[in-house]
Amino acid sequence: MSLFWIVIRRLAEIEAMAMSKKVITREEWEKKLNDVKIRKEDMNKLVMNFLVTEGYVDAAEKFRMESGTEPDIDLATITDRMAVKKAVQCGNVEDAIEKVNDLNPEILDTNPQLFFHLQQQRLIELIRNGKVEEALEFAQEELAPRGEENQSFLEELERTVALLAFEDVSNCPVGDLLDISQRLKTASEVNAAILTSQSHEKG
């Protein structure tokens, strides 16, 4: 049985237990976990997938050589993907967009939500840096037209622009947009899109 079906079966069991409100003991839980047998090949694929997704190039290469597990993508592409992710995490969104387009322009062309979120992050960075006029102009020229086409984009844009109404963002109800977690969320979305694109190229 593949790891995928084992996980699905376990989730179904957990959901069934939750629905029946049956409380199980720690010993029962550990026994159930011990009864689940995972093939070494499936575990190796899981480890390789983690190393590739998180960008551990050297570790993935060593693991490939030691375990014989082939990754779903060319390991050489990880460095480029991690450069994009790092740029977003550091707030260099324009640089990240350029890097994505260098890797594969279709990623942003075919994923309007991802492109909007990158542009939204760019707006957040302008606001963070106190560039109010530039932020308003950018929102009006780049994001407002997308908001007119998509209601959820419009709501996210309104939420982001609301940051400008507060001098003290610690009292702002949308202040979480300035948290580092917002950058990480956008970076993770870009990372996943590039990874998907690279997997399709290899497949």
Side-chain angles (χ1 to χ4, degrees):
M1 183 178 284
S2 76
L3 181 60
F4 174 76
W5 288 112
I6 290 169
V7 171
I8 294 297
R9 191 178 73 190
R10 289 297 302 136
L11 288 173
E13 287 172 7
I14 290 167
E15 188 175 331
M17 281 190 273
M19 289 175 72
S20 69
K21 304 256 188 216
K22 180 187 174 203
V23 178
I24 65 167
T25 65
R26 181 184 175 134
E27 290 76 24
E28 287 175 309
W29 176 254
E30 287 176 355
K31 184 183 181 317
K32 282 187 178 290
L33 286 178
N34 288 333
D35 289 343
V36 175
K37 302 292 180 228
I38 299 174
R39 295 182 324 150
K40 187 171 184 180
E41 296 82 27
D42 290 331
M43 187 57 75
N44 285 348
K45 283 181 185 175
L46 202 59
V47 170
M48 179 60 83
N49 184 46
F50 171 79
L51 295 173
V52 166
T53 302
E54 295 304 315
Y56 299 111
V57 187
D58 295 340
E61 182 57 42
K62 285 178 185 164
F63 188 71
R64 183 185 68 75
M65 291 167 62
E66 288 176 14
S67 70
T69 306
E70 289 298 322
D72 289 338
I73 64 162
D74 180 358
L75 292 179
T77 63
I78 293 177
T79 307
D80 294 332
R81 181 167 47 86
M82 289 299 105
V84 174
K85 187 176 176 183
K86 186 175 180 186
V88 176
Q89 289 172 336
C90 294
N92 302 326
V93 183
E94 286 178 82
D95 184 38
I97 291 171
E98 274 183 43
K99 286 181 184 333
V100 171
N101 284 329
D102 288 346
L103 285 174
N104 181 351
E106 282 187 20
I107 294 172
L108 296 179
D109 289 345
T110 59
N111 194 335
Q113 182 171 325
L114 174 62
F115 186 63
F116 177 84
H117 286 152
L118 280 167
Q119 295 289 60
Q120 178 188 23
Q121 190 63 46
R122 195 169 155 197
L123 176 60
I124 291 167
E125 299 306 331
L126 289 170
I127 294 169
R128 182 194 315 276
N129 294 319
K131 299 179 178 178
V132 177
E133 286 182 29
E134 196 177 331
L136 285 169
E137 190 178 321
F138 181 75
Q140 192 170 348
E141 291 179 9
E142 298 295 331
L143 294 170
R146 295 177 191 285
E148 289 170 11
E149 299 165 12
N150 184 312
Q151 182 61 34
S152 71
F153 291 174
L154 183 61
E155 288 167 12
E156 289 187 61
L157 174 58
E158 288 170 353
R159 196 167 171 262
T160 307
V161 172
L163 288 168
L164 292 168
F166 293 84
E167 282 185 31
D168 179 10
V169 288
S170 62
N171 292 325
C172 176
V174 291
D176 60 300
L177 290 172
L178 292 170
D179 289 346
I180 205 71
S181 61
Q182 178 66 28
R183 281 184 182 172
L184 298 178
K185 182 176 152 190
T186 306
S188 179
E189 189 179 351
V190 176
N191 184 48
I194 296 171
L195 196 56
T196 299
S197 140
Q198 290 171 338
S199 298
H200 288 166
E201 283 169 16
K202 189 178 180 185

